[in-house]
Amino acid sequence: MFSEITQTHYVVLFIAILFISGVITTKFSARLGVPALVLFIGIGMLIGSDALGIVYFNNAWMAQIIGVFALIIILFEGGLQTDWPTLRPIIKPALSLATLGVFITTLLVAVAAKYILAIDWELALLFGAIVGSTDAAAVFAVLKDQPIQKRIGATLEAESGSNDPMAVFLTVSMIEWITNPATNALLLVLTFFLQMGLGLLLGYLFGKLTVAALNRINLDSSGLYPLFAIAFALLTYGITASLNGSGLLAVYILAIIIGNADIAYRYSVFRFSEGFAWMMQILMFVILGLLVFPSDLFTWEIILQGLAVSVVLIAIARPVAVFISTFKMNFKAKELLFLSWAGLKGAVPIVLATFPLLADVTGSQQIFNVVFFVVLTSCLIQGTTIPVLAKKLALFGPKKTPPMHTLELISLGKANAEMVEYQIDSDHGVIGKTLNDIPFPDDTLVNGIIRDGQLITPSGDTYIHSGDLLYILTSRKTKKSLKKLLDSKA
């Protein structure tokens, strides 16, 4: 009994060290210009059996479960941060990239894989399907703090958030075809439309249901609202996937609806989801790092095959897919070049590479190792150079100015009121006016202003400056009119 308790202590200590290392790693990744996910994978490989030998892990099934769970949380958080007015104009190119683009990439990579890996066409197409999509976790992480022009950044984020279902469908279909050659191709095509249709429909319905539930339920603790929202994301995935729909697409649609609605305890929901998404990223990439054995990965055969496939994927397949998928959609050449380069690979291909392992497909271990190497190559080469390329191509927009202050925002559910945080940009119409001059709606009070790092207690004669961060107490019924007033341009 005592030895079991002692072992439990070691497990808790190990998990604590793991997460502390992951958090500190994000700081180093920013300074080194290396995506944090690469360092997370590195931690997993370091503590695995081939290096320090602290943890022996080869359970592909468990890695797949953790990976899918993490992707649900990451997609949910990414969807919450997606601004619908920015997303609406780029839906067409994003969906084209997420479907036609993935299909073209799959075919071109399959041709390369056929001859580079010396495998048959079925396995080559399976390999192409696994690496065909951009990765939401990688794209969200790399673009999060970069002031990429809104249209380009939104296109990449929407593509990465919606193309996972296409990659999952192609991968599962190829495994079905390999394990059961009598599979009906027409039935697979119909299944695709069924999955996407159910994903869109159920994501929308559950999104509306979640917004209504968050606003109408009156929980005793504000800390329960973020858990309630996360539970709906998991419920949406579970029900949609059980009905043979695309659970990941449903979660992304659900999150977009929640993120663009007025919900109770909005700030708490957003901050909790962001922290939870980081935790799941750390866990997922460390687990995926544990799953691979460096002695199998870093052989000359895998290195040469992985580099060759990476060159084809980065320099040929992705650019061709981007240029064809966005034909006559009003993108400039430099924008298409950036979209081509920013097609990052990450957790999704590695998680998908566990599917053939679990299905016991012949050659699946070779596919897994090469896919893993391709992901590392993509993150190290593309992930580290995205900001540099954006700067060279003059694709940086206005600098992102996230709030630097931790004045807690609350949603006063019982009082039907909210504390709103609002950043004043240089083109806002209220700049230069006093609070008395601004026709605020009834039941609205400016409680505080953060300016140049200082807290200002406002009065009616206080002028509004560019860059001010306002904290405004308002009733829910006047929140829309308040936002309309503050959004008015000079």
Side-chain angles (χ1 to χ4, degrees):
M1 180 66 180
F2 179 76
S3 62
E4 292 177 358
I5 294 175
T6 305
Q7 289 175 3
T8 302
H9 291 171
Y10 281 127
V11 170
V12 173
L13 176 62
F14 172 74
I15 293 173
I17 294 173
L18 190 66
F19 281 120
I20 290 173
S21 302
V23 172
I24 295 174
T25 294
T26 62
K27 191 72 175 178
F28 283 112
S29 72
R31 292 183 178 180
L32 296 174
V34 178
L37 60 91
V38 175
L39 300 182
F40 297 156
I41 290 175
I43 291 173
M45 295 172 68
L46 181 64
I47 64 178
S49 56
D50 269 4
L52 298 180
I54 298 174
V55 178
Y56 180 84
F57 182 82
N58 67 345
N59 192 330
W61 177 77
M62 182 61 67
Q64 185 182 113
I65 291 177
I66 294 173
V68 171
F69 186 87
L71 288 174
I72 294 170
I73 304 302
I74 293 166
L75 279 173
F76 179 72
E77 194 271 336
L80 288 180
Q81 303 292 344
T82 301
D83 181 50
W84 174 245
T86 304
L87 176 66
R88 183 163 46 194
I90 55 87
I91 286 180
K92 184 178 178 181
L95 288 180
S96 181
L97 285 166
T99 51
L100 179 61
V102 172
F103 186 72
I104 293 172
T105 303
T106 297
L107 292 180
L108 293 177
V109 172
V111 173
K114 160 69 179 172
Y115 298 101
I116 294 172
L117 305 184
I119 54 180
D120 57 32
W121 280 111
E122 290 86 353
L123 281 179
L125 287 168
L126 174 61
F127 183 92
I130 289 172
V131 300
S133 68
T134 58
D135 183 70
V139 171
F140 291 158
V142 171
L143 297 184
K144 199 173 190 69
D145 297 318
Q146 300 298 330
I148 308 296
Q149 287 181 4
K150 280 189 175 181
R151 183 171 183 245
I152 304 302
T155 301
L156 280 170
E157 290 182 356
E159 177 204 0
S160 63
S162 57
N163 70 3
D164 292 344
M166 181 69 172
V168 172
F169 167 77
L170 289 175
T171 301
V172 173
S173 296
M174 287 309 306
I175 292 174
E176 178 69 21
W177 183 31
I178 292 171
T179 57
N180 183 15
T183 301
N184 189 314
L186 178 60
L187 183 61
L188 290 177
V189 174
L190 293 176
T191 301
F192 169 75
F193 287 106
L194 173 64
Q195 288 185 357
M196 299 305 112
L198 278 175
L200 287 169
L201 177 62
L202 293 179
Y204 177 81
L205 293 177
F206 275 106
K208 292 295 184 181
L209 175 62
T210 306
V211 170
L214 286 170
N215 286 332
R216 293 182 183 180
I217 196 170
N218 191 6
L219 299 173
D220 293 333
S221 171
S222 61
L224 293 174
Y225 285 84
L227 290 175
F228 198 49
I230 292 287
F232 268 102
L234 297 173
L235 179 70
T236 300
Y237 177 87
I239 291 179
T240 305
S242 298
L243 295 175
N244 202 27
S246 174
L248 294 177
L249 179 60
V251 169
Y252 189 58
I253 299 300
L254 164 114
I256 291 174
I257 292 173
I258 295 174
N260 287 272
D262 290 328
I263 58 172
Y265 295 94
R266 178 184 179 88
Y267 184 82
S268 298
V269 171
F270 274 54
R271 295 287 75 81
F272 177 86
S273 300
E274 183 180 15
F276 196 16
W278 270 112
M279 186 183 78
M280 293 311 303
Q281 277 196 64
I282 294 171
L283 178 62
M284 173 177 64
F285 285 112
V286 169
I287 290 295
L288 294 177
L290 283 171
L291 187 62
V292 70
F293 290 83
S295 59
D296 295 334
L297 181 66
F298 297 113
T299 63
W300 282 112
E301 181 183 13
I302 297 298
I303 290 173
L304 293 175
Q305 290 177 343
L307 286 174
V309 172
S310 296
V311 169
V312 173
L313 176 61
I314 295 171
I316 300 174
R318 171 69 179 179
V320 170
V322 167
F323 277 77
I324 293 177
S325 301
T326 59
F327 184 66
K328 290 187 176 181
M329 292 188 186
N330 299 320
F331 282 100
K332 299 176 183 177
K334 65 178 184 179
E335 294 173 335
L336 293 175
L337 176 60
F338 183 77
L339 289 174
S340 300
W341 189 254
L344 288 173
K345 309 304 172 187
V348 171
I350 301 176
V351 172
L352 291 180
T354 64
F355 283 41
L357 282 175
L358 294 175
D360 200 23
V361 173
T362 304
S364 57
Q365 188 61 56
Q366 179 191 15
I367 289 177
F368 179 84
N369 289 332
V370 177
V371 165
F372 203 103
F373 193 90
V374 168
V375 169
L376 287 179
T377 304
S378 173
C379 291
L380 286 171
I381 296 177
Q382 294 173 283
T384 56
T385 54
I386 282 177
V388 177
L389 182 62
K391 188 175 182 180
K392 288 282 186 183
L393 297 176
L395 292 176
F396 275 153
K399 186 177 179 181
K400 292 183 179 180
T401 54
M404 299 301 293
H405 303 273
T406 56
L407 185 60
E408 180 69 17
L409 301 185
I410 57 174
S411 210
L412 305 174
K414 295 179 181 179
N416 196 31
E418 267 191 70
M419 185 75 80
V420 176
E421 176 189 54
Y422 197 90
Q423 178 85 44
I424 302 296
D425 293 329
S426 58
D427 58 350
H428 278 110
V430 297
I431 293 175
K433 296 181 179 180
T434 67
L435 293 180
N436 281 334
D437 295 333
I438 302 172
F440 285 109
D442 294 336
D443 304 324
T444 299
L445 177 66
V446 179
N447 292 83
I449 300 176
I450 303 294
R451 179 183 299 160
D452 299 327
Q454 300 296 322
L455 174 63
I456 296 174
T457 303
S459 66
D461 297 327
T462 302
Y463 284 88
I464 300 297
H465 295 183
S466 175
D468 282 356
L469 189 63
L470 308 183
Y471 289 94
I472 308 169
L473 183 65
T474 184
S475 64
R476 288 187 193 163
K477 67 180 180 181
T478 59
K479 187 177 176 181
K480 288 186 178 179
S481 56
L482 172 65
K483 188 175 186 301
K484 183 178 179 181
L485 169 68
L486 294 175
D487 283 344
S488 61
K489 304 301 180 181

